[in-house]
Amino acid sequence: MNMPVNIALNVYSLIILFFIYVNGRKHIDHTQIQDKLYLALLWITAFLLVVDLFSRFDGRPGTFYPYVNFWGNLLIYMLSPVLPALWFLYAYYQIFRDMARGKRVWWVLAAICGVNGILSLLSLRYAWFYTIDSGNIYHRGPLFLLPAFLTIGIIVAAFVMLLMNRKRIEPRYYFSLVFFAVPPFICVLLQIFFYGISFMLNSVVISLLIVFFNIQNQNLYIDYLTGTNNRKKLDYYMKARIAASTETKTFSAVLMDIDNFKEINDTYGHDTGDKALNIFINLLYSCLRSHDFIARFGGDEFYLILDSSTKDQLERIIERIQNRLAEFNEKGETPYPLSVSMGYAVYDYHRHLKVEEFQKEVDMLMYQNKHMHKCAIKSE
């Protein structure tokens, strides 16, 4: 691929990345892992697009070309696994919402990137990955496929991880996460088999753009602590469900309040309290369907919006949640038990309640249930 075409493609890609950053910065929370990883993906991609241009300065040995070509190719090889590694971590967080449990994954990816960097430096002496001759012309080395295979391996691993954990991922995010790997994977294969073709970084930009519109831009409606929907999204969603309700097809709402949550915070600290919230959310996800709607209403209160149109269907789900919490408490994995008070109801199409009215009704039912729990404890 000639230099003018490469410059045009990379500059165009950099403009797209700048557009993403400018339009997304008001929604970016620099304290959140998801946003940190996405920003890292943006900046590393932008940096590699510039470096990629430097690696194209072949020929003209008597000019500055050899110096630019040297550093361009070295950095491209050294950093080749970093981008897919960041993507793997981003996908991992979208699935598990807890990077503390992913420390081992982090160290494995860091080790892969470190070994690749060392081998790239050694290749300057032993020409394993590539060599630049006296005429400042780049040539592939006998092991040039190794960095490519590392890149492909990490991309495929992330892809497989997403497929295996499909039920943990919100449906509206699933396609964007799975599709992210497809363009880079195809372009890496093309680059292996057709010398001089290099669209991989440009394809990553397209994938980042899709992720921005379908995932990152939705952060405005995501609760920062639990990764669930927030109250603003709940109001929009419930309003839409009310508008779509008919005599034969309606929905159910469940308001849950974690019992004695203040005691968990006071006894074990707020960090443990935050972990308790996420444990509770993971327990909910394990006994609900992938399209069921979960939102944090405030503090330790959570809303579920379910497709159940009858009281019997709704009560079966309530029983499933209670059984799941009981199973968790029996295992004794935490020094505190997790239980909830719940108010729940099927939306009655004929009453034509507004969002606030229906929420008030469910809220009253929840506090009645909470009062019953307290009375039961006192009687014991």
Side-chain angles (χ1 to χ4, degrees):
M1 190 185 305
N2 59 46
M3 179 69 76
V5 173
N6 222 280
I7 291 175
L9 284 173
N10 286 15
V11 168
Y12 182 71
S13 297
L14 286 167
I15 291 172
I16 293 176
L17 291 178
F18 180 74
F19 164 82
I20 293 173
Y21 177 74
V22 170
N23 284 271
R25 62 182 177 180
K26 61 182 178 181
H27 302 318
I28 290 174
D29 184 346
H30 293 269
T31 66
Q32 298 305 306
I33 293 174
Q34 172 176 315
D35 288 355
K36 285 181 178 179
L37 289 171
Y38 188 78
L39 279 175
L41 282 164
L42 284 183
W43 292 124
I44 289 294
T45 303
F47 179 72
L48 288 175
L49 283 166
V50 175
V51 171
D52 180 67
L53 289 177
F54 292 166
S55 69
R56 306 291 170 177
F57 280 74
D58 282 355
R60 302 179 63 180
T63 64
F64 67 91
Y65 273 40
Y67 302 101
V68 176
N69 204 19
F70 171 85
W71 285 107
N73 280 287
L74 177 60
L75 290 172
I76 281 289
Y77 272 95
M78 288 185 69
L79 299 176
S80 60
V82 173
L83 203 55
L86 286 171
W87 170 248
F88 188 99
L89 292 171
Y90 185 89
Y92 186 94
Y93 181 77
Q94 290 295 329
I95 295 169
F96 300 108
R97 293 288 175 183
D98 183 9
M99 288 307 295
R101 63 182 289 182
K103 286 183 178 179
R104 186 179 300 176
V105 175
W106 172 269
W107 284 112
V108 169
L109 292 171
I112 291 172
C113 293
V115 169
N116 177 77
I118 293 170
L119 292 176
S120 298
L121 289 171
L122 291 174
S123 289
L124 296 176
R125 178 178 178 85
Y126 300 106
W128 290 333
F129 293 165
Y130 70 96
T131 183
I132 299 175
D133 64 23
S134 59
N136 191 37
I137 302 298
Y138 165 89
H139 302 280
R140 288 175 171 177
L143 299 180
F144 86 96
L145 284 175
L146 181 58
F149 284 157
L150 286 176
T151 298
I152 291 175
I154 297 173
I155 291 174
V156 170
F159 185 82
V160 172
M161 178 178 65
L162 289 165
L163 292 178
M164 291 178 64
N165 293 278
R166 179 172 184 168
K167 292 183 179 179
R168 289 176 172 265
I169 305 169
E170 293 189 55
R172 65 181 183 270
Y173 296 161
Y174 182 73
F175 171 78
S176 299
L177 291 168
V178 170
F179 181 78
F180 184 98
V182 175
F185 180 78
I186 294 173
C187 289
V188 169
L189 291 179
L190 288 174
Q191 189 171 338
I192 290 172
F193 292 109
F194 300 97
Y195 184 80
I197 292 180
S198 179
F199 294 125
M200 198 276 282
L201 291 171
N202 309 100
S203 68
V204 169
V205 173
I206 302 302
S207 295
L208 286 172
L209 186 63
I210 293 172
V211 168
F212 171 74
F213 282 122
N214 294 330
I215 299 179
Q216 285 299 125
N217 210 30
Q218 297 298 319
N219 278 353
L220 185 63
Y221 304 107
I222 299 298
D223 175 62
Y224 73 97
L225 181 59
T226 62
T228 60
N229 298 287
N230 61 17
R231 187 165 180 170
K232 186 174 184 179
K233 183 62 180 288
L234 169 67
D235 291 342
Y236 285 142
Y237 186 76
M238 189 177 285
K239 186 176 181 180
R241 291 303 300 260
I242 289 174
S245 294
T246 65
E247 287 190 60
T248 57
K249 182 65 176 176
T250 182
F251 69 97
S252 299
V254 183
L255 176 59
M256 296 177 290
D257 181 275
I258 299 177
D259 295 330
N260 304 314
F261 184 72
K262 184 177 183 300
E263 290 183 15
I264 296 175
N265 273 329
D266 292 344
T267 305
Y268 304 103
H270 288 280
D271 287 342
T272 299
D274 291 346
K275 289 179 182 178
L277 292 177
N278 283 291
I279 289 171
F280 175 67
I281 288 300
N282 288 330
L283 290 172
L284 281 182
Y285 277 126
S286 71
C287 55
L288 297 177
R289 294 162 295 190
S290 60
H291 61 274
D292 289 330
F293 182 92
I294 303 178
R296 188 181 183 192
F297 193 58
D300 58 335
E301 294 182 340
F302 295 87
Y303 248 101
L304 303 182
I305 305 296
L306 310 169
D307 286 338
S308 307
S309 297
T310 67
K311 191 173 182 179
D312 287 343
Q313 292 174 340
L314 176 57
E315 288 182 342
R316 282 197 294 271
I317 296 173
I318 297 300
E319 184 179 2
R320 191 187 311 154
I321 293 171
Q322 295 286 25
N323 290 339
R324 185 72 184 89
L325 288 170
E327 290 172 5
F328 173 79
N329 291 330
E330 285 177 6
K331 293 178 181 177
E333 295 180 1
T334 57
Y336 50 83
L338 278 177
S339 63
V340 293
S341 300
M342 291 189 276
Y344 50 90
V346 177
Y347 182 79
D348 187 346
Y349 170 77
H350 298 286
R351 293 175 64 194
H352 301 292
L353 295 178
K354 296 180 180 179
V355 170
E356 296 82 5
E357 294 169 331
F358 187 46
Q359 287 182 351
K360 186 175 181 180
E361 183 175 289
V362 175
D363 186 69
M364 182 183 67
L365 292 169
M366 190 273 289
Y367 276 100
Q368 288 176 359
N369 185 249
K370 197 170 190 69
H371 179 69
M372 289 173 58
H373 280 192
K374 290 181 179 179
C375 291
I377 292 172
K378 287 181 180 179
S379 64
E380 293 175 359

